[in-house]
Amino acid sequence: MSQFLSAPDGTPLWVSDVDPGSTPDITAARIHALPALYKAAADGLPTLADKGYIGAGIAILVPVRRPKGRSEQALQADTRTRNSLIRGIRALGERAAAELKQRWRTLQHVTLSPSRIGDITRAASSSTGSGNDHR
């Protein structure tokens, strides 16, 4: 599992190293991304995330889960609207995930050690002029 951050337009900004096995998103985020995001939140910059980050904490905005066994309509209208807005804005940022997964075919067929995938991803991001070299 690798974590990434993107600009609102989907430009990749940062990619973490890959964690071994099936590390849950929230666990990987706590290790790699959340400390920096909390500082950004304190500076007034909120972060949008998917439902895998529920419980992430301060200024990490995620959609509200619908009640188990119920449709989205079971949520109040303002909650559905908030969810829709978060998903709509995040869709722009998800372009980074699509680029990282599809644009660089290397990642689809990597036979290297998982610890090298983060380096490959950062190099690919940097070659487009949109990434950085932070680790």
Side-chain angles (χ1 to χ4, degrees):
M1 174 64 57
S2 182
Q3 298 292 298
F4 73 93
L5 298 175
S6 68
D9 68 356
T11 303
L13 298 174
W14 173 82
V15 178
S16 74
D17 287 332
V18 175
D19 290 323
S22 58
T23 305
D25 282 345
I26 191 67
T27 301
R30 284 186 176 123
I31 295 167
H32 299 291
L34 292 179
L37 293 176
Y38 292 150
K39 180 180 177 344
D43 293 339
L45 182 65
T47 298
L48 303 180
D50 64 28
K51 292 178 186 177
Y53 297 87
I54 288 177
I58 183 174
I60 309 299
L61 305 176
V62 297
V64 173
R65 289 184 191 237
R66 62 180 169 77
K68 191 170 183 108
R70 309 273 312 271
S71 75
E72 185 85 7
Q73 296 301 315
L75 296 172
Q76 292 181 347
D78 59 340
T79 301
R80 289 194 312 269
T81 300
R82 178 184 182 275
N83 283 356
S84 180
L85 290 170
I86 289 172
R87 282 193 291 267
I89 295 168
R90 274 193 65 253
L92 300 172
E94 281 294 317
R95 187 182 122 227
E99 284 185 18
L100 293 172
K101 291 177 183 176
Q102 299 298 320
R103 186 171 179 188
W104 297 291
R105 292 185 163 269
T106 307
L107 296 176
Q108 294 178 2
H109 305 288
V110 166
T111 58
L112 295 170
S113 165
S115 65
R116 300 293 298 157
I117 296 172
D119 293 334
I120 292 168
T121 306
R122 278 188 289 279
S125 293
S126 295
S127 70
T128 65
S130 59
N132 64 35
D133 196 27
H134 294 298
R135 293 182 186 210

PDB file of all heavy atoms in Angstrom, residues 20 29 38 66 71 73 110-111 116 123 125:
ATOM      1  N   PRO A  20       4.528  -3.102   3.307  1.00  0.00           N
ATOM      2  CA  PRO A  20       4.361  -4.517   2.975  1.00  0.00           C
ATOM      3  C   PRO A  20       2.946  -5.013   3.267  1.00  0.00           C
ATOM      4  O   PRO A  20       2.246  -4.469   4.117  1.00  0.00           O
ATOM      5  CB  PRO A  20       5.372  -5.217   3.891  1.00  0.00           C
ATOM      6  CG  PRO A  20       5.542  -4.287   5.040  1.00  0.00           C
ATOM      7  CD  PRO A  20       5.365  -2.893   4.482  1.00  0.00           C
ATOM      8  N   ALA A  29      -1.674   5.850   6.241  1.00  0.00           N
ATOM      9  CA  ALA A  29      -1.765   7.309   6.324  1.00  0.00           C
ATOM     10  C   ALA A  29      -1.204   7.819   7.642  1.00  0.00           C
ATOM     11  O   ALA A  29      -0.518   8.845   7.673  1.00  0.00           O
ATOM     12  CB  ALA A  29      -3.212   7.758   6.171  1.00  0.00           C
ATOM     13  N   TYR A  38      -1.775  17.204   9.311  1.00  0.00           N
ATOM     14  CA  TYR A  38      -2.237  17.895  10.510  1.00  0.00           C
ATOM     15  C   TYR A  38      -1.639  19.293  10.584  1.00  0.00           C
ATOM     16  O   TYR A  38      -2.299  20.244  10.971  1.00  0.00           O
ATOM     17  CB  TYR A  38      -1.900  17.102  11.771  1.00  0.00           C
ATOM     18  CG  TYR A  38      -2.665  15.805  11.904  1.00  0.00           C
ATOM     19  CD1 TYR A  38      -2.112  14.722  12.557  1.00  0.00           C
ATOM     20  CD2 TYR A  38      -3.948  15.663  11.389  1.00  0.00           C
ATOM     21  CE1 TYR A  38      -2.807  13.527  12.687  1.00  0.00           C
ATOM     22  CE2 TYR A  38      -4.649  14.479  11.506  1.00  0.00           C
ATOM     23  CZ  TYR A  38      -4.077  13.414  12.158  1.00  0.00           C
ATOM     24  OH  TYR A  38      -4.765  12.240  12.286  1.00  0.00           O
ATOM     25  N   ARG A  66     -23.305   5.734   5.199  1.00  0.00           N
ATOM     26  CA  ARG A  66     -24.752   5.516   5.328  1.00  0.00           C
ATOM     27  C   ARG A  66     -24.977   4.449   6.392  1.00  0.00           C
ATOM     28  O   ARG A  66     -24.099   3.620   6.641  1.00  0.00           O
ATOM     29  CB  ARG A  66     -25.358   5.110   3.999  1.00  0.00           C
ATOM     30  CG  ARG A  66     -24.813   3.824   3.456  1.00  0.00           C
ATOM     31  CD  ARG A  66     -25.466   3.482   2.115  1.00  0.00           C
ATOM     32  NE  ARG A  66     -24.779   2.407   1.459  1.00  0.00           N
ATOM     33  CZ  ARG A  66     -24.894   1.119   1.787  1.00  0.00           C
ATOM     34  NH1 ARG A  66     -25.681   0.759   2.774  1.00  0.00           N
ATOM     35  NH2 ARG A  66     -24.228   0.192   1.129  1.00  0.00           N
ATOM     36  N   SER A  71     -30.012   2.725   2.409  1.00  0.00           N
ATOM     37  CA  SER A  71     -29.533   3.447   1.238  1.00  0.00           C
ATOM     38  C   SER A  71     -28.984   4.807   1.654  1.00  0.00           C
ATOM     39  O   SER A  71     -29.164   5.248   2.792  1.00  0.00           O
ATOM     40  CB  SER A  71     -30.664   3.648   0.230  1.00  0.00           C
ATOM     41  OG  SER A  71     -31.543   4.662   0.674  1.00  0.00           O
ATOM     42  N   GLN A  73     -30.169   7.460   0.893  1.00  0.00           N
ATOM     43  CA  GLN A  73     -31.329   8.310   1.185  1.00  0.00           C
ATOM     44  C   GLN A  73     -31.663   8.333   2.675  1.00  0.00           C
ATOM     45  O   GLN A  73     -32.380   9.210   3.132  1.00  0.00           O
ATOM     46  CB  GLN A  73     -32.546   7.851   0.377  1.00  0.00           C
ATOM     47  CG  GLN A  73     -32.362   7.998  -1.130  1.00  0.00           C
ATOM     48  CD  GLN A  73     -32.073   9.431  -1.540  1.00  0.00           C
ATOM     49  OE1 GLN A  73     -32.711  10.366  -1.075  1.00  0.00           O
ATOM     50  NE2 GLN A  73     -31.091   9.612  -2.411  1.00  0.00           N
ATOM     51  N   VAL A 110       5.495  -4.660 -11.641  1.00  0.00           N
ATOM     52  CA  VAL A 110       6.723  -4.575 -10.858  1.00  0.00           C
ATOM     53  C   VAL A 110       7.062  -5.936 -10.262  1.00  0.00           C
ATOM     54  O   VAL A 110       6.220  -6.587  -9.660  1.00  0.00           O
ATOM     55  CB  VAL A 110       6.588  -3.519  -9.737  1.00  0.00           C
ATOM     56  CG1 VAL A 110       7.699  -3.651  -8.720  1.00  0.00           C
ATOM     57  CG2 VAL A 110       6.585  -2.135 -10.334  1.00  0.00           C
ATOM     58  N   THR A 111       8.302  -6.338 -10.457  1.00  0.00           N
ATOM     59  CA  THR A 111       8.786  -7.566  -9.827  1.00  0.00           C
ATOM     60  C   THR A 111       9.906  -7.245  -8.845  1.00  0.00           C
ATOM     61  O   THR A 111      10.503  -8.147  -8.288  1.00  0.00           O
ATOM     62  CB  THR A 111       9.298  -8.569 -10.882  1.00  0.00           C
ATOM     63  OG1 THR A 111      10.334  -7.950 -11.642  1.00  0.00           O
ATOM     64  CG2 THR A 111       8.166  -9.010 -11.794  1.00  0.00           C
ATOM     65  N   ARG A 116      10.993  -0.553  -3.371  1.00  0.00           N
ATOM     66  CA  ARG A 116      11.494   0.255  -4.489  1.00  0.00           C
ATOM     67  C   ARG A 116      10.375   0.952  -5.257  1.00  0.00           C
ATOM     68  O   ARG A 116      10.625   1.851  -6.037  1.00  0.00           O
ATOM     69  CB  ARG A 116      12.303  -0.623  -5.450  1.00  0.00           C
ATOM     70  CG  ARG A 116      13.514  -1.294  -4.832  1.00  0.00           C
ATOM     71  CD  ARG A 116      14.588  -0.337  -4.417  1.00  0.00           C
ATOM     72  NE  ARG A 116      15.060   0.337  -5.602  1.00  0.00           N
ATOM     73  CZ  ARG A 116      15.664   1.511  -5.612  1.00  0.00           C
ATOM     74  NH1 ARG A 116      15.889   2.142  -4.490  1.00  0.00           N
ATOM     75  NH2 ARG A 116      16.045   2.071  -6.733  1.00  0.00           N
ATOM     76  N   ALA A 123      10.099   9.013  -9.051  1.00  0.00           N
ATOM     77  CA  ALA A 123      10.868   9.338 -10.247  1.00  0.00           C
ATOM     78  C   ALA A 123       9.936   9.622 -11.422  1.00  0.00           C
ATOM     79  O   ALA A 123      10.151  10.570 -12.178  1.00  0.00           O
ATOM     80  CB  ALA A 123      11.829   8.207 -10.588  1.00  0.00           C
ATOM     81  N   SER A 125       6.839  10.677 -11.225  1.00  0.00           N
ATOM     82  CA  SER A 125       6.161  11.957 -10.953  1.00  0.00           C
ATOM     83  C   SER A 125       7.083  13.116 -11.251  1.00  0.00           C
ATOM     84  O   SER A 125       6.680  14.108 -11.835  1.00  0.00           O
ATOM     85  CB  SER A 125       5.719  12.026  -9.488  1.00  0.00           C
ATOM     86  OG  SER A 125       4.725  11.088  -9.223  1.00  0.00           O
TER      87      SER A 125
END
